Amino acid sequence: MNEQHQEEMELDKARDRFITEIANNVHLYDITNSIGRLYGTIFFAEKPMTLDEMSESLGMSKTSMSTGVRALSEANMIEKAWEKGVRKDLYRTNPDWYKSFSTVFIKRWSQSAAKNHQALCDTKQKLQELSKNADSEEVKHKASLDLEKLRSAEAYYEWLNEVISLFETGEIFNIVPKRNEPSQKV
Amino acid sequence: MNEQHQEEMELDKARDRFITEIANNVHLYDITNSIGRLYGTIFFAEKPMTLDEMSESLGMSKTSMSTGVRALSEANMIEKAWEKGVRKDLYRTNPDWYKSFSTVFIKRWSQSAAKNHQALCDTKQKLQELSKNADSEEVKHKASLDLEKLRSAEAYYEWLNEVISLFETGEIFNIVPKRNEPSQKV
DNA sequence: ATCTTTGTACAGTTTTTTCTGTACGAACTT
DNA sequence: AAGTTCGTACAGAAAAAACTGTACAAAGAT
């Protein structure tokens, strides 16, 4: 009995090592540390989990589980599972990490790049207008200096957008192929 | 006079459009919104700025400017500038956005991927141990289920590491070439 | 129909992060 | 040497974010 309990604890410890690391890094996807732990917990669970089970398992309120589950769903990191005769909502992790994690990556970066680029264009347009038509020589001068600066930024964004579209189109998988099974070496 | 003032305001507004957007997105690099504004302000400044000028310009304390400048420097987004006979520290933005921004990108992601992968290996090892040698059949079973789950995660990390090394080695620039000047089309 | 069960909106509390003011060390000036 | 100027450490204040408990709507059971 005692040894068995010991082994259960070993198992939990092994899992916890991984869960903790996920929790520490998941902020890159705009997910909170504790919701990262939630993800890890669902990941290792034998079966899809209900909100109540999550709450129980993490010692957090059901409300938090509810909002956490929403965040994870939006990030495509978990999905609903259906089981006959079970009324409660069930969730399990999305097993395709390429899709779940890289979807988030694409979403965040393309969104950011698009917005930044849009802002750049707006600013550029106004500056061009000013550098042409302003009465004040000083303003004209400043505007053209600014335009100069925006050049390299614009080049960067064009490059970044192309990089992102590598991922959006899936072309990245031609360059770095998916691996369905990892190398078997230890 | 009045028109001139008007035009100055137009200039500021144009700049602000861009600065605000940067500030909103720079959290992807673990930089605060307000320090993002600081970056934008330095970016558009005619000359390298001192801490006092930043403080004055943003209406924030000099202390915040000091810590902000440190954060931006660590992210390789700004750099010190030297001017003869000026005692104060001067800062300007790093004009190479490829380097500054993509350096940060690489740092964050490779660090995160490495740590996660390391944790995965640790966990895997413990689980293998358990699935072989545990006395409890239940623990054995759970451990092997977990190992199964870790397979696809491992594949993902191997893939991710290769993707990141595309950036580290600069090979990405063979695939998506840098653009020194943007397309001249409007 | 009433009575449960389940998930979430919302307001308030706790925790964390950000920001500021004071104080001080280092470097420069005279 | 004493007197400035500058940048930052540190403690405390202000602001923001995370978390909880209550309350309620929707759906299911009886």
Side-chain angles (χ1 to χ4, degrees):
Chain A
M1 317 283 119
N2 218 342
E3 297 104 30
Q4 178 161 347
H5 188 242
Q6 177 66 29
E7 284 174 350
E8 289 276 1
M9 279 176 58
E10 288 292 325
L11 183 70
D12 276 353
K13 221 173 121 188
R15 288 171 170 179
D16 191 66
R17 170 80 177 92
F18 190 57
I19 291 176
T20 300
E21 206 55 50
I22 288 192
N24 283 340
N25 292 107
V26 81
H27 77 103
L28 287 167
Y29 307 97
D30 283 359
I31 302 274
T32 299
N33 185 300
S34 31
I35 302 307
R37 289 200 76 83
L38 173 58
Y39 175 85
T41 304
I42 302 174
F43 177 76
F44 280 120
E46 277 83 33
K47 298 180 303 177
M49 294 180 79
T50 67
L51 292 181
D52 284 314
E53 286 165 351
M54 299 173 198
S55 175
E56 158 72 18
S57 172
L58 293 180
M60 289 176 70
S61 74
K62 197 175 171 183
T63 305
S64 293
M65 299 303 95
S66 177
T67 58
V69 155
R70 178 159 51 195
L72 291 172
S73 298
E74 277 170 13
N76 201 17
M77 292 169 69
I78 64 173
E79 53 193 16
K80 272 198 179 174
W82 292 102
E83 242 172 63
K84 52 179 181 184
V86 177
R87 255 174 75 194
K88 300 187 182 189
D89 292 355
L90 294 167
Y91 297 93
R92 65 167 159 247
T93 55
N94 178 349
D96 185 349
W97 283 31
Y98 296 104
K99 215 163 209 161
S100 63
F101 273 36
S102 79
T103 293
V104 173
F105 163 75
I106 291 163
K107 195 194 289 182
R108 303 248 182 278
W109 282 86
S110 67
Q111 182 178 294
S112 155
K115 281 186 163 189
N116 274 5
H117 189 255
Q118 182 57 52
L120 187 147
C121 290
D122 293 354
T123 297
K124 191 178 164 190
Q125 197 163 9
K126 274 196 187 177
L127 288 175
Q128 278 172 338
E129 157 79 20
L130 279 170
S131 80
K132 268 190 188 171
N133 305 332
D135 295 324
S136 153
E137 279 305 317
E138 195 191 343
V139 168
K140 267 185 163 173
H141 179 61
K142 284 183 181 175
S144 21
L145 283 180
D146 288 356
L147 282 168
E148 193 90 18
K149 287 178 188 175
L150 289 180
R151 286 272 165 77
S152 56
E154 195 170 12
Y156 167 77
Y157 281 122
E158 289 186 9
W159 175 82
L160 185 59
N161 273 324
E162 267 192 63
V163 169
I164 291 165
S165 76
L166 282 186
F167 289 81
E168 282 172 336
T169 61
E171 205 187 319
I172 186 69
F173 295 114
N174 298 330
I175 299 159
V176 181
K178 271 190 194 182
R179 314 189 170 197
N180 290 326
E181 287 301 306
S183 67
Q184 295 302 51
K185 290 267 296 178
V186 171
Chain B
M1 314 283 121
N2 219 342
E3 298 103 30
Q4 178 160 347
H5 189 242
Q6 178 67 28
E7 285 172 348
E8 290 274 2
M9 279 177 57
E10 288 290 326
L11 184 68
D12 276 352
K13 222 172 121 188
R15 288 171 168 179
D16 192 66
R17 170 80 176 93
F18 190 57
I19 291 176
T20 300
E21 205 55 48
I22 287 191
N24 283 340
N25 292 108
V26 83
H27 76 104
L28 286 167
Y29 307 96
D30 283 358
I31 302 273
T32 299
N33 185 300
S34 30
I35 302 306
R37 290 200 75 83
L38 173 58
Y39 175 85
T41 305
I42 302 174
F43 177 77
F44 280 119
E46 276 84 35
K47 299 181 303 179
M49 294 179 80
T50 67
L51 292 181
D52 285 314
E53 286 165 350
M54 298 172 200
S55 175
E56 158 72 18
S57 173
L58 293 181
M60 288 175 73
S61 74
K62 197 176 172 183
T63 304
S64 292
M65 300 302 96
S66 177
T67 58
V69 155
R70 178 158 48 194
L72 291 172
S73 298
E74 278 169 12
N76 201 19
M77 291 169 69
I78 64 172
E79 55 194 15
K80 271 197 180 177
W82 292 100
E83 241 172 64
K84 52 179 181 186
V86 178
R87 255 176 73 195
K88 301 186 181 187
D89 293 354
L90 293 167
Y91 296 93
R92 66 168 157 248
T93 55
N94 177 349
D96 186 350
W97 284 32
Y98 295 104
K99 215 164 209 160
S100 63
F101 273 38
S102 78
T103 294
V104 173
F105 162 74
I106 291 163
K107 194 194 291 181
R108 303 249 182 276
W109 282 86
S110 67
Q111 182 178 292
S112 154
K115 281 185 162 188
N116 275 5
H117 189 255
Q118 182 58 52
L120 187 146
C121 290
D122 294 353
T123 297
K124 192 179 163 190
Q125 198 164 5
K126 275 196 187 177
L127 288 176
Q128 279 173 339
E129 158 79 19
L130 279 172
S131 79
K132 269 192 188 169
N133 305 331
D135 294 323
S136 154
E137 279 306 317
E138 195 192 342
V139 167
K140 268 186 162 173
H141 180 61
K142 283 184 182 175
S144 20
L145 283 180
D146 287 356
L147 282 168
E148 192 89 18
K149 287 180 188 174
L150 289 180
R151 285 274 166 78
S152 57
E154 196 169 12
Y156 166 76
Y157 280 123
E158 288 185 10
W159 175 82
L160 184 58
N161 274 325
E162 266 192 64
V163 170
I164 290 165
S165 76
L166 281 186
F167 289 82
E168 282 173 336
T169 62
E171 205 188 318
I172 186 69
F173 294 115
N174 297 331
I175 299 159
V176 181
K178 271 190 196 184
R179 313 190 170 196
N180 290 325
E181 287 302 305
S183 66
Q184 296 300 54
K185 291 268 296 180
V186 170

